[in-house]
Amino acid sequence: MIALTVPSPIGPLTVEAHGGRLIAVRFEDAGDRAQEEELRAAARQLEQYFSGRRRRFELPLDLRAGPFDRRVLAAVAEIRFGERISYGELAARFGLTGEDVRKVAAAVGRNPLPILIPCHRVVGADGGLVGYGGGIQRKAQLLALEAGQLQMAV
């Protein structure tokens, strides 16, 4: 595994890769400065996203997750820039209701590639900001950026 810490307006992000594919984004500074191309590409695309010049990531991902999580995160990846969807609406896409919404929320919460797989776009039933591994403040900032309400400079 290789890692690169990328500065961002929401704090340092450490991007990890293995075998030429991205496997994780963490809200921390790992201090590593690897120069492999997939990490440099991730750093460039993240900078473009934060500056408002990118709406969709085009990076090789290695989603290390079980089949259910993969299905859920594939659906999350299809949520367009600036859109929000509730956990219940996401569950309904799979024909799930009731207690199964928690399973969907748990799968979203295990997303190893936040921002790249935009789990920040999934909100509570009332539109409230709930559950984000990077913290609610970062989730709010990302949603504000996508709504054009916040300018972020790296």
Side-chain angles (χ1 to χ4, degrees), residues 9 49-53 141 144-154:
Y49 168 80
F50 285 116
S51 68
R53 294 178 289 137
Q141 289 175 308
L145 168 74
E146 292 184 7
Q149 300 167 339
L150 181 65
Q151 296 289 324
M152 292 183 160
V154 178

Side-chain angles (χ1 to χ4, degrees), residues 42-133:
R44 278 191 305 273
Q45 289 189 30
L46 283 164
E47 187 276 325
Q48 292 165 351
Y49 168 80
F50 285 116
S51 68
R53 294 178 289 137
R54 177 171 291 278
R55 293 176 172 243
R56 187 167 184 85
F57 294 97
E58 298 168 2
L59 296 163
L61 306 180
D62 181 359
L63 189 56
R64 297 177 175 196
F68 181 77
D69 285 15
R70 284 178 174 275
R71 282 183 49 218
V72 170
L73 294 176
V76 170
E78 296 303 315
I79 303 169
R80 291 181 296 189
F81 183 95
E83 281 189 13
R84 297 178 191 191
I85 184 173
S86 74
Y87 291 97
E89 291 169 317
L90 184 59
R93 291 185 179 185
F94 300 102
L96 303 173
T97 60
E99 291 297 312
D100 290 327
V101 173
R102 288 186 179 158
K103 292 178 185 174
V104 169
V108 171
R110 289 187 290 269
N111 178 10
L113 293 158
I115 303 174
L116 305 181
I117 298 177
C119 56
H120 59 277
R121 297 175 187 157
V122 184
V123 297
D126 64 356
L129 304 186
V130 296
Y132 192 63

